[in-house]
Amino acid sequence: MSAINLTEAAAYEVKDMLKRNEMEDGYLKLKVNGGGCTGLTYGMSAEEAPGENDEVSEFYGLKVLVDKDDIPVLNGMTIDFKQSLMGGGFQIDNPNAIASCGCGSSFRTAKVAGTPEDC
């Protein structure tokens, strides 16, 4: 069982992005970085292959990597993609986040606070 979940809309949006960047066989890498107003930020990148410490999951044909060290912070997280008249964007629902900043790009959990930056 995967630590995270991607909706069908999110998986297809990432697959389209990978295709546009000529990385049809690529992976989506999800990470937790330090920083932001609240202490932690989410990171997403395209990778050509799994790293040594990556857990690999698949959602609707999209291969997703999560560093095993980040699993406790991301466990149970769902990523969705919403389209609206104003554009589209990824939405993250992380049940472990106990606080987030006003802009919604940083968070902290009960066990991992990270290193907040001045905003």
Side-chain angles (χ1 to χ4, degrees):
M1 182 170 178
S2 178
I4 55 104
N5 184 47
L6 255 71
T7 65
E8 187 173 7
Y12 284 116
E13 183 66 23
V14 174
K15 285 171 63 174
D16 285 346
M17 289 177 176
L18 291 171
K19 186 174 182 178
R20 286 193 302 269
N21 288 288
E22 298 178 3
M23 289 184 69
E24 289 92 348
D25 295 325
Y27 297 76
L28 170 65
K29 171 79 178 233
L30 302 174
K31 335 172 194 194
V32 175
N33 303 309
C37 303
T38 315
L40 300 171
T41 58
Y42 299 107
M44 289 196 226
S45 63
E47 301 292 334
E48 292 184 7
E52 185 177 297
N53 203 39
D54 287 335
E55 176 182 287
V56 182
S57 300
E58 189 168 324
F59 303 92
Y60 305 97
L62 173 68
K63 296 171 284 193
V64 179
L65 308 174
V66 177
D67 188 294
K68 291 176 184 169
D69 294 335
D70 292 338
I71 289 174
V73 175
L74 301 178
N75 193 31
M77 178 177 80
T78 298
I79 300 175
D80 194 7
F81 185 83
K82 300 284 186 186
Q83 190 70 35
S84 72
L85 292 174
M86 300 298 286
F90 291 98
Q91 294 182 339
I92 298 173
D93 178 23
N94 185 345
N96 303 301
I98 62 166
S100 62
C101 67
C103 62
S105 65
S106 75
F107 68 102
R108 74 171 181 237
T109 68
K111 294 183 180 180
V112 183
T115 306
E117 298 172 351
D118 291 332
C119 293

